[in-house]
């Protein structure tokens, strides 16, 4: 055995470092996926899971705080949201009036006043029709209730006494002192909130139509400079999606209202205009609104004309809604608002839980806006556009420069 081999053997025997230890100064090998990462024995998988968990909790807490703030300020937030939706619908009218060489302010004012006149006219039409047909409708309702009693007695074994007792119990519940006072106070408070919210929405609508670009530029300048381009482009993408959604919904709602109203008129039903307006308003809540308004139309047919006409009216409602779902919505919305039907249903359910009817109305537009923003920030735009420059801030007059210029002229 040579001297070299003997020296290497002696060094191996006398080495104080064990096989599972690492010499100082020598880089350690890459740890295994589930090797402990600290002295407490926390595995790498647990470390990654806990890192994701606390970040997720922070995001959820932030969303909860924002949601609580919106709900706490709902009397302000909801009218602003309604104003934004109305702006997306009516801004082409204001732009058209401005192209006719009308100043922006008067154009926005004329648009708001025309909207008020149209809505008031529709409400007057419905009220007049209901008042004119109230006597005949009340008689038909009485006959319909009697038919329902007969159907319940034949099919479910209910006696007249059972029906009378149920109606009496409902009356006693409604006429109870505390319950009646509480309901009257709640109705009065709700009416006050609705009137106040209506005025806020109209003011927001006017200023959004009049100075929408300036208001948006001011909001964008609240962001840091590096984020302004992304914020501006995301907002414009969201506005395009919201505008496409609102205009398509208006057309779909009009087609639903006209189709169902024509069917009701052909069948000779009462309150044709009221049914059409109810269908038009209900169409703004996808899936759910059309279902509820269609049920109302069928119930009016059942009460007024009997079960055969009600079945025919149901067929008309189903046919119109199928035309809407399979022809109008895909053609009108296209790629501008690509929200999955499951997301639509979940959005409506979440909106109902959070804010009731108003939440159901704004749920789908909110989902469409968020979908457009997320796709834009992720670089998945269907039609990418270059960022547009923000409108310049108004220049302030430099008062110190005026004496100097006058001196130079002299």
């Amino acid at each position: 055995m040579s001297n070299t081999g003997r020296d290497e053997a002696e060094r191996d025997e006398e080495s104080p470092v064990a096989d599972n230890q690492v010499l100082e100064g020598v880089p350690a090998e890459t740890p295994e996926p589930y090797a402990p990462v600290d002295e407490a024995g926390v595995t790498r998988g647990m470390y990654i899971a806990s890192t994701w968990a606390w970040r997720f909790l922070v995001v959820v807490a932030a969303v909860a705080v924002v949601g609580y703030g919106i709900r706490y300020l709902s009397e302000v937030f909801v009218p602003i949201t309604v104003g934004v939706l109305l702006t997306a619908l009516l801004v082409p009218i204001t732009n058209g009036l401005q192209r006719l060489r009308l100043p922006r302010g008067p154009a926005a004012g004329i648009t708001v006043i025309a909207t008020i006149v149209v809505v008031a006219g529709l409400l007057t039409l419905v009220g007049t029709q209901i008042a004119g047909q109230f006597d005949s409708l009340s008689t038909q309702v009485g006959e319909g209730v009697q038919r329902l009693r007969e159907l319940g007695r034949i099919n479910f074994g209910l006696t007249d006494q059972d029906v009378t007792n149920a109606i009496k119990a409902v009356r006693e519940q409604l006429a109870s002192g505390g319950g009646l006072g509480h309901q009257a106070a709640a109705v009065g408070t709700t009416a006050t909130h609705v009137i106040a919210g209506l005025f806020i929405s109209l003011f927001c609508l006017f200023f959004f139509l009049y100075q929408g670009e300036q208001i948006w530029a001011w909001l964008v300048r609240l962001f840091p400079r590096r984020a302004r381009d992304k914020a501006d482009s995301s907002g414009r993408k969201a506005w395009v999606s919201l505008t496409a959604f609102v205009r398509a919904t208006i057309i779909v709602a009009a087609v639903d209202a006209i189709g169902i109203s024509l069917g009701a008129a052909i069948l000779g039903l009462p309150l044709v205009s009221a049914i059409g307006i109810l269908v038009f308003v209900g169409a703004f809540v996808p899936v759910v609104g059309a279902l509820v308004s269609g049920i109302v139309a069928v119930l009016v047919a059942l009460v007024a004309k009997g079960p055969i006409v009600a079945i025919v009216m149901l067929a008309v409602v189903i046919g119109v809604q199928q035309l809407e779902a399979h022809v109008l919505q895909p053609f009108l919305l296209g790629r501008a608002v690509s929200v999955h039907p499951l997301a639509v249903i979940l959005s409506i359910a979440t909106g109902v839980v959070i804010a009731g009817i108003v939440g159901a109305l704004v749920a789908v537009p909110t989902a469409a806006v968020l979908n457009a923003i997320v796709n834009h920030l992720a670089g998945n735009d269907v039609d990418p556009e270059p960022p547009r420059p923000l409108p310049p801030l108004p220049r302030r007059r430099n008062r110190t420069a005026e004496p100097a210029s006058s001196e130079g002229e002299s």
Side-chain angles (χ1 to χ4, degrees), residues 124-180:
T124 303
L125 177 63
V126 173
T128 303
Q129 189 177 30
I130 292 176
Q133 299 182 3
F134 182 78
D135 294 335
S136 61
L137 185 63
S138 60
T139 303
Q140 292 170 351
V141 168
E143 295 176 356
V145 171
Q146 185 63 32
R147 291 177 183 175
L148 292 177
R149 281 189 175 187
E150 295 177 357
L151 292 175
R153 180 174 54 82
I154 295 173
N155 297 324
F156 301 101
L158 297 177
T159 62
D160 293 340
Q161 186 64 32
D162 295 333
V163 177
T164 303
N165 292 335
I167 296 175
K168 184 179 179 180
V170 172
R171 288 178 178 176
E172 292 177 354
Q173 181 66 27
L174 294 176
S176 60
L180 185 60

Side-chain angles (χ1 to χ4, degrees), residues 298-365:
V298 173
L299 288 178
V300 171
L302 176 63
V303 171
K305 297 295 182 178
I308 302 300
V309 178
I311 293 174
V312 176
M313 189 68 216
L314 178 62
V316 172
V317 171
I318 293 176
V320 172
Q321 292 180 358
Q322 291 298 316
L323 174 66
E324 166 208 330
H326 295 90
V327 178
L328 291 178
Q329 286 190 353
F331 177 74
L332 294 174
L333 293 179
R335 298 183 301 174
V337 184
S338 55
V339 181
H340 196 274
L342 179 61
V344 172
I345 296 297
L346 295 179
S347 300
I348 294 173
T350 304
V352 170
V353 171
I354 295 176
I357 297 177
V358 177
L361 288 173
V362 303
V364 179

Side-chain angles (χ1 to χ4, degrees), residues 14 26 133 137 189 250 406:
E14 296 176 358
V26 179
Q133 299 182 3
L137 185 63
T189 304
I250 286 291
S406 61

Side-chain angles (χ1 to χ4, degrees), residues 68-368:
Y68 176 78
I70 292 175
R71 188 168 185 176
Y72 184 76
L73 299 174
S74 60
E75 296 177 11
V76 177
F77 181 77
V78 171
I80 293 175
T81 305
V82 174
V84 171
L85 294 176
L86 290 176
T87 303
L89 173 64
L90 300 174
V91 69
I93 300 177
T94 304
N95 294 336
L97 293 175
Q98 190 177 16
R99 284 193 292 269
L100 296 176
R101 300 186 182 279
L102 192 67
R104 186 74 180 182
I110 292 174
T111 304
V112 174
I113 293 174
T115 303
I116 296 174
V117 171
V118 170
V119 173
L122 292 177
L123 293 177
T124 303
L125 177 63
V126 173
T128 303
Q129 189 177 30
I130 292 176
Q133 299 182 3
F134 182 78
D135 294 335
S136 61
L137 185 63
S138 60
T139 303
Q140 292 170 351
V141 168
E143 295 176 356
V145 171
Q146 185 63 32
R147 291 177 183 175
L148 292 177
R149 281 189 175 187
E150 295 177 357
L151 292 175
R153 180 174 54 82
I154 295 173
N155 297 324
F156 301 101
L158 297 177
T159 62
D160 293 340
Q161 186 64 32
D162 295 333
V163 177
T164 303
N165 292 335
I167 296 175
K168 184 179 179 180
V170 172
R171 288 178 178 176
E172 292 177 354
Q173 181 66 27
L174 294 176
S176 60
L180 185 60
H182 179 72
Q183 291 172 4
V187 169
T189 304
T190 303
T192 304
H193 291 170
V194 168
I195 294 174
L198 178 62
F199 279 102
I200 295 174
S201 297
L202 292 177
F203 275 108
C204 291
L205 174 61
F206 172 75
F207 284 105
F208 289 162
L209 292 174
Y210 177 35
Q211 295 178 326
E213 284 286 339
Q214 290 83 349
I215 294 173
W216 173 246
W218 177 81
L219 289 175
V220 170
R221 287 189 175 92
L222 296 179
F223 288 86
R225 290 185 179 275
R226 293 184 177 180
R228 288 178 184 176
D229 290 340
K230 278 294 184 180
D232 181 54
S233 58
S234 299
R236 295 184 185 278
K237 283 290 183 180
W239 181 253
V240 170
S241 178
L242 179 63
T243 304
F245 174 83
V246 172
R247 293 175 185 174
T249 303
I250 286 291
I251 297 175
V252 170
V255 171
D256 285 350
I258 292 173
I260 294 178
S261 298
L262 285 177
I266 293 173
L267 294 175
L269 300 184
L271 303 177
V272 175
S273 300
I275 292 174
I277 294 174
L278 178 62
V279 172
F280 180 81
V281 175
F284 285 90
V285 183
V287 182
V288 179
L291 177 63
V292 173
S293 59
I295 290 175
V296 171
V298 173
L299 288 178
V300 171
L302 176 63
V303 171
K305 297 295 182 178
I308 302 300
V309 178
I311 293 174
V312 176
M313 189 68 216
L314 178 62
V316 172
V317 171
I318 293 176
V320 172
Q321 292 180 358
Q322 291 298 316
L323 174 66
E324 166 208 330
H326 295 90
V327 178
L328 291 178
Q329 286 190 353
F331 177 74
L332 294 174
L333 293 179
R335 298 183 301 174
V337 184
S338 55
V339 181
H340 196 274
L342 179 61
V344 172
I345 296 297
L346 295 179
S347 300
I348 294 173
T350 304
V352 170
V353 171
I354 295 176
I357 297 177
V358 177
L361 288 173
V362 303
V364 179
T366 302

